[in-house]
Amino acid sequence: MGERVGLEVSLAVSEAVKLARADVIAAYPITPQTHIVEELSQMVADGDLDAEYVMVESEHSAMSACCGAAAVGARTFTATASQGLALMHEVLFIASGLRLPVVMAVANRALSAPISIWGDQSDVMSERDSGWIQLFAETGQEALDLTIQAFKIAEDRRVLLPAEVNIDGFTLSHVVEPIVIPGQEEVDSFLPPYEPQVILDPEKPVTMGPVGFPELYTEIKKQQNEALLGSYEVILEVWDRFAESFGRKYRPVEHYRTEDAEILINMAGAMSGTARIAVDMMRETGKKVGLIRTRLWRPYPFDEIRNAVKGAKAVAVVDRALSFGGQGGPMCSELRSALYPLAEKPVVTSYIAGLGGRDITVENFQTIVEDTGDVLANGPREEYKMIGVRE
Amino acid sequence: MAEDKPSWKEYPMAATIHSPGSATDQNTGDWKSMRPVRDSSKCDKCGICWIFCPDAALYMTEEGFYEVDLYHCKGCGICAHECRKEAITMVEEGE
């Protein structure tokens, strides 16, 4: 049933890629993602992983190489962060537009300037609309599991879209956690070899990515969007199948102590661990506080979010990214929009925290809940608050 | 007619083209403003126009002349420019 070991989360992601029997890995090192691809290159060099490891000169080339590899039918993986993801930007849209099931891990890190190698989620939020399936892990086990699942979801013929597994840089990528490494046979039976629908083949030539004239482009984008929306059901199926095989259950939205909760905190990623401790402490003092964690970010789980907030008086959304000049936090904007059509909906408050590697503490979450209580009592005020900023 | 055009469900995934060489079916010659006209009395059938045509829009007739395929010719004028006998004139479309 697999072996439980203490392992750095980055290396657990590499292990997942090895277990998934990736055919091609093309990557460029960038902090805090480097350990993932460093380990993979070692696995290939040692003969432990029968894959082509393509050394490239940039992330733009890494994603381009991944597209080429996926287009000939290879199971393809890359990993990046921050500026690297930003450099991939235009090619991300090509991967999704060409319906290539590339899998990528992103060790989330702040964007320059000023230069910051530390964690936040501004990198992935800038690629929110790139057409990729986007998942957030909280723990090392989840990072490993989601990576294996990502291949199965992406390669499903009803989906055929690239998928991204987000792990917070350093606070998740660089920590050592107890992680169950599944057996190769179990993974093989869960994830059979990729059977592509269309590939580049000189014996049977096709043109991928031709000109899309105005009379065609809208229909192709509709097709792509339907595939992304439709991936939701496939994701649920894959998670059910995963639970049968490995015993670990996954849902688009994770609930923690939400029963009878009046104030819910919503966030994604590793900070949820700290938030749980804060919830436990506040529960001990009689505060009715719960937590909903967004695991699936694209496609956005509208119904699950609407159901999750039922009965709550307020939802406090904590974003590790700032949408300049807008509503503040991208996750909060999405949640607000999802709740807008409801006749009865909770008050939504927005908080920005943990930018550029600043710690998010238990006290921060207590402050957020108190502040949301204040909004409930005294009515709305500013659109969002930046937590811990020195005025 | 918009209703005659395929729905999004009917297109191949990602607009992939499965028939090689299908560009020959496209009428790429309908937006030229000038078209080449050959004076057969000056033409010595050297074929330099055929060699230089960037769009392979010239073909050889049974008599050995190089005829323009106006369905694909975009009217760039390279054939007229390269012709050593000045046997090709670019004429305004509509004339």
Side-chain angles (χ1 to χ4, degrees):
Chain A
M1 270 311 287
E3 189 192 356
R4 193 162 186 259
V5 296
L7 192 62
E8 184 190 316
V9 173
S10 289
L11 307 188
V13 171
S14 316
E15 197 61 41
V17 175
K18 180 185 155 199
L19 287 166
R21 298 186 187 276
D23 298 307
V24 175
I25 297 143
Y28 192 81
I30 182 169
T31 302
Q33 162 278 137
T34 305
H35 291 183
I36 300 172
V37 293
E38 190 179 59
E39 180 74 359
L40 282 167
S41 71
Q42 190 70 53
M43 287 169 171
V44 173
D46 291 348
D48 295 333
L49 172 59
D50 182 18
E52 198 69 41
Y53 189 95
V54 187
M55 303 257 263
V56 286
E57 75 277 23
S58 75
E59 287 84 356
H60 190 280
S61 303
M63 187 45 65
S64 300
C66 286
C67 285
V72 296
R75 180 167 285 164
T76 308
F77 178 82
T78 189
T80 193
S82 181
Q83 308 305 117
L85 185 64
L87 188 53
M88 284 180 179
H89 175 75
E90 63 168 6
V91 197
L92 297 178
F93 287 72
I94 291 169
S96 59
L98 291 184
R99 310 287 300 276
L100 301 170
V102 178
V103 171
M104 169 163 67
V106 179
N108 303 113
R109 164 185 152 183
L111 288 166
S112 295
I115 294 171
S116 167
I117 62 158
W118 296 277
D120 75 26
Q121 295 167 353
S122 350
D123 52 3
V124 52
M125 289 306 162
S126 302
E127 306 305 338
R128 183 192 63 181
D129 297 338
S130 59
W132 284 56
I133 292 165
Q134 298 177 2
L135 300 148
F136 278 91
E138 178 191 337
T139 66
Q141 186 68 59
E142 197 177 348
L144 178 141
D145 291 350
L146 291 182
T147 303
I148 294 170
Q149 295 156 6
F151 286 104
K152 193 171 177 71
I153 295 163
E155 292 170 4
D156 190 291
R157 289 208 175 177
R158 294 164 290 174
V159 178
L160 288 172
L161 284 169
E164 177 186 309
V165 178
N166 291 283
I167 58 172
D168 284 284
F170 296 113
T171 50
L172 189 53
S173 66
H174 282 53
V175 297
V176 175
E177 291 188 7
I179 297 169
V180 177
I181 310 289
Q184 184 66 62
E185 278 181 24
E186 291 171 289
V187 176
D188 286 345
S189 111
F190 173 76
L191 181 68
Y194 171 37
E195 285 181 27
Q197 189 170 319
V198 184
I199 56 165
L200 293 177
D201 175 5
E203 299 299 319
K204 206 181 159 203
V206 296
T207 302
M208 288 187 184
V211 178
F213 287 102
E215 67 169 31
L216 169 82
Y217 189 87
T218 303
E219 279 67 31
I220 300 305
K221 290 295 116 178
K222 165 88 176 169
Q223 214 182 51
Q224 184 186 335
N225 193 42
E226 287 294 322
L228 186 53
L229 293 170
S231 72
Y232 188 81
E233 288 304 319
V234 176
I235 292 166
L236 297 186
E237 261 180 52
V238 167
W239 280 341
D240 285 346
R241 171 80 172 79
F242 190 87
E244 282 169 27
S245 304
F246 301 95
R248 291 185 291 278
K249 294 192 176 87
Y250 288 92
R251 293 293 303 171
V253 179
E254 203 66 41
H255 296 235
Y256 185 69
R257 302 190 80 165
T258 52
E259 67 290 348
D260 80 357
E262 290 176 359
I263 297 178
L264 293 169
I265 325 171
N266 172 235
M267 77 292 288
M271 64 169 138
S272 319
T274 311
R276 270 170 223 269
I277 297 168
V279 167
D280 287 344
M281 287 170 70
M282 287 184 277
R283 281 278 182 181
E284 274 173 30
T285 63
K287 286 201 176 100
K288 291 182 172 174
V289 183
L291 181 157
I292 50 172
R293 173 164 70 92
T294 309
R295 175 180 284 125
L296 180 62
W297 171 232
R298 282 293 181 275
Y300 191 73
F302 291 97
D303 288 339
E304 290 247 359
I305 286 287
R306 285 171 189 147
N307 288 332
V309 305
K310 259 182 200 156
K313 289 183 183 166
V315 186
V317 187
V318 188
D319 271 276
R320 268 195 102 177
L322 175 59
S323 171
F324 301 109
Q327 283 268 324
M331 267 201 180
C332 185
S333 297
E334 201 73 35
L335 181 130
R336 267 204 191 106
S337 297
L339 303 191
Y340 187 79
L342 302 182
E344 281 181 42
K345 47 186 171 276
V347 166
V348 178
T349 52
S350 176
Y351 301 92
I352 313 298
L355 296 186
R358 183 163 299 183
D359 284 338
I360 308 177
T361 63
V362 169
E363 291 72 30
N364 288 156
F365 285 111
Q366 287 169 330
T367 305
I368 284 163
V369 170
E370 278 165 26
D371 188 71
T372 299
D374 185 56
V375 171
L376 278 175
N378 301 314
R381 32 151 185 79
E382 67 268 56
E383 298 284 355
Y384 57 91
K385 267 192 176 174
M386 290 179 75
I387 293 300
V389 71
R390 292 185 296 275
E391 298 290 354
Chain B
M1 297 276 279
E3 55 267 31
D4 293 337
K5 290 178 182 169
S7 95
W8 63 269
K9 294 172 194 160
E10 293 167 281
Y11 283 107
M13 184 179 71
T16 299
I17 296 169
H18 293 263
S19 44
S22 63
T24 52
D25 301 335
Q26 299 287 323
N27 183 2
T28 52
D30 63 348
W31 45 267
K32 62 177 158 298
S33 57
M34 307 280 279
R35 85 188 119 90
V37 174
R38 185 187 67 250
D39 180 348
S40 299
S41 67
K42 289 186 185 169
C43 174
D44 67 354
K45 306 176 182 177
C46 72
I48 202 158
C49 55
W50 176 75
I51 291 167
F52 272 89
C53 176
D55 244 330
L58 287 153
Y59 60 95
M60 195 166 70
T61 63
E62 277 183 18
E63 302 87 57
F65 289 115
Y66 290 89
E67 198 65 64
V68 185
D69 168 9
L70 291 170
Y71 192 73
H72 293 114
C73 169
K74 297 178 183 67
C76 70
I78 288 173
C79 55
H81 180 80
E82 295 296 336
C83 180
R84 292 173 296 184
K85 296 287 182 184
E86 297 184 348
I88 301 175
T89 318
M90 297 305 289
V91 175
E92 194 95 35
E93 280 284 76
E95 277 181 21

